[in-house]
Amino acid sequence: MCSTGGDDGETLLNPKPPLPEKGTLCRKCKTSKAQVILQIKDAYCKECLIALCNHKFRAILGKSRIFGNEQKSVLVAFSGSASSLALLKLLSDAVAAGPSHRRIMACPKIIYIDEGALLGMSAEERLTKCKEILEVTAGFGFPVYAVPLNVQDSSPVDITNYEIHGNTDDKLKSLFESVSDTTSKLDLLNRLRCNVLSSCAQQLKTSLVMLADNSTSVAVKILSGVSLGKGASISLETGFSDSRHSDVTFLRPLRDFTSKEATIFSIFSGCPKSVFVPSLLTMSKMDSSIQRLTETFIVNLQNEFPSTVSTVYRTGEKFCSTPSNQPCAFCLGPLDTVHKPCSALEATDFSRELSTGKKPESSCGSCDCKNKLRSTLVQTLCYSCRLIVCSVDNPELLPSTVLENAREAQSFSKMKSQIEEFLISEGE
Amino acid sequence: MGSDSLKISVHFGGGAEILFDNLKQHDLELPLDNGTWNLKRLIAWIRDNKMKSKQELFVKDDSVRPGILVLVNDTDWDLLGQTEYELCDGDQVHFISTLHGG
């Protein structure tokens, strides 16, 4: 909070110091001319930058002790972006390294999620994108799979055999068309992506999924997560490892790399050029969604004050999640919707009641809806997933796994309330 | 010698190419009759001559929009004086968007 006399405020808001002179030497080897400058004054030549990134990557994975002495299968989520390419290259080099160079014992498989149906891309365009993805990933020598973004579970197939099935896309399109605003659409898209990746990892018999989130995108997720009511799950969504899905752990080994670092690494290390895959955010207006607004805010501020991203990132690292008995039926995160006295949720509901003049339904505190499915569903969801589901017109279109989880959670809590008096609580 | 135009190659990546008809590489010949070309002048020229709309997605004030990396001959423009860098014949300029990636 505000400290008297401390210079925390000053250090955070220091604008960019003057740029270094031309011909500056690399700060590491001090012999070659620097080719890139990171953060404020760290100038590196090409070779030293590559070495630095490789070292950082292997140190993060080594410290986590996730990879031991035996080969472990890992699924790498590939989106075509420079960060995805950097992740692949770093992992590929780490796997091929000698034992004295901190080799990582991993067996990577690459997966690409085809989200073309959402944007109305034609089958031909989507298959062309798959071909482009294959072109850039083939050189790494790992198997490449493709899977369509879907409401029900789809199986990942070898990308060369990938086919488009129009009827399964219709359900996805109807779901997204029934969502009222772009913010909720993007949130829903992220949820679906995680669920698809988790399901594919299980089908491909891997327990690890690597995501290419860099520190800039983590900082954006932290701030927009706070705006979206995700306080309970921010630490899981932005941390190094996320084990919400029972058999699958999501890893973010690039979270210490800035977007500039990851992009420059992918260029300097000779990766193929990134593939641009259109998304809901492409060409969108600055104020079209909370996520877009947050990204613009952070990136613009970072330009003037280069410690912005690292400050948000470091603050976000201090968040933690309080586990709950039942996970949220959608994101599998902790439930934060128990009405405790003086809780933020109680205050939010009270505000809503005052401003809309309507008493919240006792079963659904988030919106004034009559849909029976929705009102039973929201009881099994965390606050931010409730907001998504309340913006979906027809909750029957939600993924079947979510509806199943919700049914299970409902019957579990029903059963618990029936036998509650016979249960010995922890206090006794 | 003494050519009357500056030949450079401009590359767009990371999604920036969709603002330029999806063309990743543009070979340009810039006239030298009005003084030297620096990156500031080049960016303004690109905005005025290569973009029909959405200029705000590439340009901000006199420079590129934050989130777009600029490399000249594989060197970060932060080490070359940013917009003040003077272009030479044969320079390869890369504009790479780092926004909504991962």
Side-chain angles (χ1 to χ4, degrees), chain A residues 35 37 79 81 260 267 276 295, chain B residues 15 24 66 76 78 96 100 102:
Chain A
Q35 282 170 270
I37 189 158
S79 64
S81 68
K260 182 172 180 180
I267 297 170
F276 175 67
E295 182 190 49
Chain B
K24 286 193 175 169
D76 188 352
D78 283 340
I96 305 182
H100 25 276

Side-chain angles (χ1 to χ4, degrees), chain A residues 45 63 90 92 114 126 172 178 222 225-226 272 331 339 426:
Chain A
C45 65
K63 204 167 76 163
L90 285 163
S92 158
D114 170 28
R126 291 164 67 181
L172 181 73
S178 75
I222 290 171
V226 170
C331 69
H339 268 265
E426 275 174 28

Side-chain angles (χ1 to χ4, degrees), chain A residues 24-218:
Chain A
T24 306
L25 291 181
C26 167
R27 72 178 297 213
K28 191 159 179 242
C29 64
K30 300 203 200 326
T31 44
S32 311
K33 237 168 65 169
Q35 282 170 270
V36 66
I37 189 158
L38 298 175
Q39 299 304 83
I40 306 156
K41 42 187 178 350
D42 298 341
Y44 295 103
C45 65
K46 194 189 268 203
E47 288 72 28
C48 288
L49 177 85
I50 293 175
L52 173 81
C53 291
N54 273 313
H55 175 84
K56 203 155 64 158
F57 182 75
R58 290 174 212 180
I60 291 172
L61 286 182
K63 204 167 76 163
S64 71
R65 298 195 184 286
I66 295 210
F67 294 97
N69 292 327
E70 288 185 12
Q71 291 265 1
K72 260 194 188 165
S73 200
V74 57
L75 192 61
V76 179
F78 187 79
S79 64
S81 68
S83 282
S84 281
L85 278 164
L87 174 62
L88 259 188
K89 180 80 173 113
L90 285 163
L91 185 60
S92 158
D93 285 350
V95 163
S100 54
H101 287 91
R102 298 174 123 174
R103 172 171 56 192
I104 300 289
M105 301 296 286
C107 202
K109 298 179 191 172
I110 303 172
I111 188 155
Y112 164 68
I113 303 182
D114 170 28
E115 298 170 4
L118 268 188
L119 300 158
M121 283 169 76
S122 70
E124 204 185 302
E125 284 171 323
R126 291 164 67 181
L127 289 172
T128 309
K129 269 300 157 206
C130 285
K131 254 209 203 115
E132 288 176 38
I133 297 277
L134 179 60
E135 265 165 31
V136 307
T137 51
F140 292 97
F142 305 132
V144 187
Y145 299 92
V147 67
L149 184 72
N150 213 330
V151 181
Q152 56 232 38
D153 276 348
S154 336
S155 302
V157 295
D158 187 314
I159 201 169
T160 42
N161 302 334
Y162 181 65
E163 281 167 6
I164 315 269
H165 301 286
N167 46 350
T168 47
D169 294 335
D170 289 337
K171 278 199 175 162
L172 181 73
K173 278 192 246 193
S174 319
L175 172 62
F176 273 78
E177 270 156 25
S178 75
V179 177
S180 43
D181 57 294
T182 314
T183 301
S184 303
K185 276 192 203 184
L186 285 167
D187 217 10
L188 177 62
L189 177 60
N190 273 325
R191 291 275 120 263
L192 290 182
R193 268 184 200 150
C194 283
N195 290 356
V196 165
L197 284 172
S198 166
S199 146
C200 288
Q202 284 170 349
Q203 290 178 63
L204 291 172
K205 310 253 190 303
T206 59
S207 57
L208 298 168
V209 178
M210 276 194 184
L211 304 171
D213 286 336
N214 54 48
S215 64
T216 312
S217 60
V218 162

Side-chain angles (χ1 to χ4, degrees), chain A residues 302-315:
Chain A
Q302 172 75 11
N303 216 33
E304 293 298 311
F305 303 100
S307 43
T308 303
V309 165
S310 60
T311 306
V312 175
Y313 171 87
R314 274 199 324 270
T315 310

Side-chain angles (χ1 to χ4, degrees), chain A residues 163-426:
Chain A
E163 281 167 6
I164 315 269
H165 301 286
N167 46 350
T168 47
D169 294 335
D170 289 337
K171 278 199 175 162
L172 181 73
K173 278 192 246 193
S174 319
L175 172 62
F176 273 78
E177 270 156 25
S178 75
V179 177
S180 43
D181 57 294
T182 314
T183 301
S184 303
K185 276 192 203 184
L186 285 167
D187 217 10
L188 177 62
L189 177 60
N190 273 325
R191 291 275 120 263
L192 290 182
R193 268 184 200 150
C194 283
N195 290 356
V196 165
L197 284 172
S198 166
S199 146
C200 288
Q202 284 170 349
Q203 290 178 63
L204 291 172
K205 310 253 190 303
T206 59
S207 57
L208 298 168
V209 178
M210 276 194 184
L211 304 171
D213 286 336
N214 54 48
S215 64
T216 312
S217 60
V218 162
V220 171
K221 268 194 184 163
I222 290 171
L223 269 197
S224 51
V226 170
S227 312
L228 295 168
K230 282 203 171 118
S233 51
I234 285 181
S235 61
L236 297 165
E237 299 238 331
T238 57
F240 172 73
S241 85
D242 174 4
S243 330
R244 280 177 286 182
H245 297 255
S246 49
D247 303 321
V248 177
T249 305
F250 285 79
L251 299 174
R252 297 181 183 93
L254 284 195
R255 65 191 292 275
D256 279 341
F257 290 71
T258 60
S259 57
K260 182 172 180 180
E261 218 171 325
T263 308
I264 300 272
F265 173 81
S266 72
I267 297 170
F268 282 2
S269 59
C271 288
K273 287 227 162 79
S274 62
V275 175
F276 175 67
V277 179
S279 71
L280 284 177
L281 278 171
T282 307
M283 303 277 258
S284 56
K285 284 208 209 103
M286 218 103 76
D287 55 357
S288 55
S289 65
I290 288 179
Q291 293 89 339
R292 186 76 162 82
L293 207 54
T294 312
E295 182 190 49
T296 309
F297 172 69
I298 287 195
V299 172
N300 284 8
L301 201 60
Q302 172 75 11
N303 216 33
E304 293 298 311
F305 303 100
S307 43
T308 303
V309 165
S310 60
T311 306
V312 175
Y313 171 87
R314 274 199 324 270
T315 310
E317 279 195 309
K318 297 183 175 124
F319 293 169
C320 58
S321 270
T322 324
S324 64
N325 291 331
Q326 274 289 102
C328 166
F330 204 166
C331 69
L332 303 180
L335 276 184
D336 53 354
T337 43
V338 176
H339 268 265
K340 292 200 193 102
C342 305
S343 64
L345 182 61
E346 187 168 298
T348 311
D349 282 347
F350 182 63
S351 285
R352 189 176 290 112
E353 193 186 321
L354 276 184
S355 49
T356 58
K358 295 176 191 158
K359 211 154 174 61
E361 299 277 338
S362 54
S363 53
C364 168
S366 296
C367 58
D368 194 35
C369 58
K370 313 246 180 337
N371 190 314
K372 190 167 185 280
L373 171 61
R374 198 204 308 277
S375 40
T376 46
L377 185 55
V378 295
Q379 295 206 66
T380 61
L381 301 175
C382 68
Y383 183 73
S384 60
C385 290
R386 272 192 194 181
L387 293 179
I388 303 177
V389 167
C390 282
S391 67
V392 172
D393 231 8
N394 184 359
E396 278 170 31
L397 294 170
L398 287 168
S400 46
T401 42
V402 176
L403 300 173
E404 246 173 66
N405 285 347
R407 266 193 290 270
E408 255 183 58
Q410 277 288 72
S411 53
F412 182 82
S413 64
K414 222 183 195 172
M415 185 173 71
K416 189 173 176 199
S417 62
Q418 282 169 352
I419 61 173
E420 202 150 25
E421 49 184 277
F422 302 107
L423 289 176
I424 302 171
S425 69
E426 275 174 28

